[in-house]
Amino acid sequence: MSLHEKTARYSSTVLRLLSYSFFRWVAGPAAVPLTILTLFAVYVPSFIISYLKGPDYQVVDDQVEVIVEEPVVVEGEAGQDDKVVLEAEIDETITLEEKPASPLKSFLTGAPIHHSPILSLLTFLINVALATMVSDVLFRARYQYPSNDLSFVRLGYVSHNEAKFLVREPDQTKLPVTLEIHVKDAVAPFDNPLWLTGGEVTLLDNSTDFTTVLDVPLRHPQQRIYEWRTSNNHSGEFTSPPKPGQLSSYNDGKFTFLSTSCILPRFPYNPLDHPLSIPGLRHLAKLLPSLQAQLMLFLGDFIYIDPNPPAALVAGSSRARRLGATYYEFTQGPASFFLLDTRTYRSDNYEPFESENKTMLGAQQLEDFLAWLNRPEPKGVQWKIVASSVPLTKNWPVNTKDTWGGFLSERRKVLEAMWDAGARGVGVVIVSGDRHEFAATKFPPPEGGRWPEMAAPHEFSCSPLNQFSSPVPTYRQYDDEDVAIKYIHSGNAKFGALTIESHEGGTRSSLTYRLFIDGNEVWDTVVLTPTVPKVEKTPASFWNRIMGGA
């Protein structure tokens, strides 16, 4: 095999393997597609030179025929001996044939097939197609759909009395941007059907990438469906959440929210898809009408982050918000939410896992978070929902250092506060992402401790909404501290729907978790709020009443 043919074969093989991985498994890092295109640049001249040079040959027969004629005696000159001269005729016949090569092997590896121009062309075109599709992924959306002049108005955080909108409008001729809002399907005399001005944006410039947040008051005291429209031709609708502690006025009183993370457009790759398509969002859009979700916790990074909920309360305060905090808390209906920032304040991942000084949250955030876990909630709020961008469980041995499994001392403090909340009858659920897998985990308190078994919090770690999934299982239970409930590693589009319902006249509550993968519901489970034993008071005796006793 010639050097050029070896180069064509090896570069083609690696190119095809990387392309399959890029389109179906791992779409990054950027070095992967660039390597594919580099291999293609090496492959093309090697293939052409090898094909034009022709096949390699091997000797299959070598026959030599020697014909010796009669010897001739030549008399020597004076004083010299006679010489005998022998004349011989040598004929050599060499038979060559093309070295055997498997056409199938050559076709699969991309090497030229010299006796079949059609197969050679086909295997060459396969690599051309792969390189073209990689280029399509890298460049088509960027150059065919530039977004410098993108205009949008997007709904962010919504409370029972306020809605936040993120506005981007680079076209200065459309300023000011006015937003109007009204109650949809207003019912007289309780609802005002008129469109009211919710807010106005008068100035936008490149210092904020032509964006700003618009706070719009919701004037109706009860939960309603609102429609909104803007002067720069954007519109939409949303349902305001129930007040803290109240049941939803819609969906039979059920309160539903979604959780997932990680988005990559156009994955897995399909050349027929629109360059900006996100298949996972298509699955989600089909299911949203039936789910009637109030909100979605997206546990990842966006270029334009949605307008945030209020900052967390300062530990020990019932009103003061932590100034400049990048972690948040809010309450809607039956649930109180705390959104952790697990990146800004963390220690180096490579510090010892058990180090007392190692922190995921930083001292200030940890203090505020523990205070939230210990804080009594209004009547009717029976769940505390913790949003963490990385899993709380240590059952993932791959890259454990990036999860709470690498911060065990601080994790123990958090779990103890969660067990305390559970012992008071509050259900604690953690939603997380980042792993591109799904796992449900239970964290039972230590046996023989001060916490009852039912105080155990549960974690539902679910991702991605649209990205690669782990090709092999990576989650495993190692001890009784993190109990595995369910694990599924496959699926490029995953999200969870969490529905809270009230039972027994409001004294108990359930949280139903439903897992959707690639548009289909594949698993569900129900978690109940812990029960707190009632302590019956013994009536005070007559003498104690006289003495002022209880």
Side-chain angles (χ1 to χ4, degrees), residues 18-36 137-138 264-265 267 436 467-468:
L18 284 180
S19 296
Y20 181 80
S21 174
F22 178 70
F23 293 135
R24 284 293 177 268
W25 285 353
V26 183
V32 174
L34 295 179
T35 300
I36 293 172
V137 172
L138 291 181
L264 181 67
F267 190 91
H436 296 211
Q467 213 175 100
F468 66 90

Side-chain angles (χ1 to χ4, degrees), residues 99-149:
K99 285 186 176 181
S102 169
L104 178 61
K105 181 179 179 181
S106 298
F107 182 78
L108 293 177
T109 59
I113 305 168
H114 299 283
H115 64 271
S116 178
I118 294 178
L119 288 179
S120 294
L121 179 61
L122 287 177
T123 195
F124 181 80
L125 290 178
I126 288 175
N127 288 347
V128 171
L130 292 175
T132 301
M133 289 188 288
V134 170
S135 301
D136 179 43
V137 172
L138 291 181
F139 305 115
R140 185 178 169 195
R142 178 183 296 272
Y143 293 106
Q144 191 171 347
Y145 298 93
S147 56
N148 295 330
D149 58 351

